Amino acid sequence: VGNLNLNPEVAVQYEMGLRHEFSRTLAGNATFFYKDIYDYPTSVRFSKPGQGDLFIYINNDFARSRGFELEVKKRRNPFLAGSLTYSYSVATGKASDPNQTQILQETEGAFSEIGIEEGSLWWNRPHKFTLSLDYGVSEKTEPAKRPIVFGKRLPSDFFVNLYFLVRSGRAYIE
């Protein structure tokens, strides 16, 4: 059953970052973040005499995400550029899904099985590592200065990108 008195989710976010240029072609970033989500909806069972049980959405849950990201960037010099990034984040809250209570109770579970403590949310993936490499020849590069590959000069506007991503799996949720 819908609820016209349901409030919109409220998110409060903080982010702080530092940047430093180590050389003309090498720079680094460090970013720290924190996000709270309030008025997260959840479903609650009500018993109405003569009509049975029904579920209504109310604003009762919350979620929290916090972490940091470290990045090193290399500017194109003259053909190669890239970035290396590592991020760590933790997402916790009372429930990942507003329908968690409904699903549990419809499968004969007890309302008491739903914890009141914070736990890992389904979208929590703590570690993420990315590597991006770009190799390219701009149109401004003189033909004589273009690299030779397999006996042939690379054409102008030639670009290749390699992207590598490794991240941890989702947290185990009881």
Side-chain angles (χ1 to χ4, degrees):
V1 175
N3 182 355
L4 295 176
N5 295 321
L6 198 62
N7 297 326
E9 288 181 11
V10 175
V12 178
Q13 305 176 72
Y14 301 97
E15 184 174 311
M16 182 179 76
L18 304 167
R19 289 185 176 168
H20 183 71
E21 189 174 318
F22 299 108
S23 69
R24 237 183 91 241
T25 59
L26 191 65
N29 297 325
T31 306
F32 304 90
F33 59 89
Y34 189 90
K35 179 180 181 180
D36 276 334
I37 303 172
Y38 300 101
D39 286 340
Y40 201 71
T42 189
S43 57
V44 176
R45 176 185 268 183
F46 287 98
S47 294
K48 197 169 186 181
Q51 292 186 354
D53 293 342
L54 53 109
F55 288 90
I56 296 178
Y57 290 103
I58 62 169
N59 298 104
N60 193 35
D61 286 343
F62 63 90
R64 180 174 295 136
S65 178
R66 56 226 179 256
F68 65 88
E69 180 177 275
L70 303 173
E71 179 181 36
V72 176
K73 286 184 173 183
K74 183 192 176 308
R75 186 179 297 161
R76 188 170 307 283
N77 187 15
F79 305 109
L80 186 66
S83 66
L84 181 67
T85 307
Y86 171 75
S87 63
Y88 175 78
S89 64
V90 176
T92 57
K94 282 190 61 181
S96 297
D97 183 358
N99 297 312
Q100 182 176 346
T101 306
Q102 179 180 359
I103 293 167
L104 178 65
Q105 290 185 2
E106 284 180 349
T107 57
E108 303 303 322
F111 187 75
S112 61
E113 290 181 41
I114 297 176
I116 58 172
E117 70 279 345
E118 278 189 57
S120 293
L121 300 174
W122 68 268
W123 61 82
N124 181 37
R125 290 187 163 204
H127 303 281
K128 182 179 174 184
F129 173 79
T130 60
L131 171 67
S132 178
L133 293 174
D134 297 317
Y135 186 83
V137 180
S138 78
E139 61 185 27
K140 297 176 185 175
T141 305
E142 297 174 25
K145 292 186 178 180
R146 291 186 204 145
I148 298 173
V149 177
F150 301 118
K152 300 282 184 184
R153 286 213 186 270
L154 292 177
S156 64
D157 281 345
F158 173 84
F159 289 95
V160 175
N161 175 266
L162 171 69
Y163 183 78
F164 182 71
L165 167 69
V166 175
R167 65 180 170 193
S168 58
R170 292 189 174 104
Y172 172 75
I173 299 174
E174 294 182 26

